[in-house]
Amino acid sequence: MTTLEDIARVHTGWIIWRSDVGRWWATRRGHVDLEAIRMGCSMTLDADDPDSLAAELAAQDRLVITASDVRLGTAR
């Protein structure tokens, strides 16, 4: 099972926590530019369990790369 520490170690650009009611949350450190938001990047994510949160964070990492490629004109 994935732990909070596992997620935080892999996703250093995020603050990870578990709420009092058991939801798993992540909030970005820093900002997200408007183009990235338009492409689906989020400042804060939540999930039912740590594995789901880790999967959402991985998807966000891919979106940030895509948004960066679009901004630089190198999108595939």
Side-chain angles (χ1 to χ4, degrees), residues 62-75:
R62 290 187 298 274
L63 280 172
V64 166
I65 290 168
T66 301
S68 178
D69 288 346
V70 167
R71 194 171 42 257
L72 296 172
T74 59

Side-chain angles (χ1 to χ4, degrees), residues 6-62:
D6 294 335
I7 298 169
R9 188 173 28 260
V10 172
H11 301 283
T12 57
W14 295 81
I15 299 167
I16 313 296
W17 76 97
R18 188 171 182 207
S19 72
D20 293 344
V21 297
R23 299 260 330 141
W24 288 78
W25 293 85
T27 297
R28 283 186 198 276
R29 301 175 190 268
H31 90 283
V32 177
D33 66 37
L34 185 56
E35 186 60 36
I37 291 170
R38 287 180 177 146
M39 295 187 73
C41 291
S42 299
M43 284 299 297
T44 301
L45 302 170
D46 71 314
D48 292 330
D49 57 69
D51 291 321
S52 296
L53 183 62
E56 287 190 40
L57 288 164
Q60 286 290 305
D61 288 346
R62 290 187 298 274

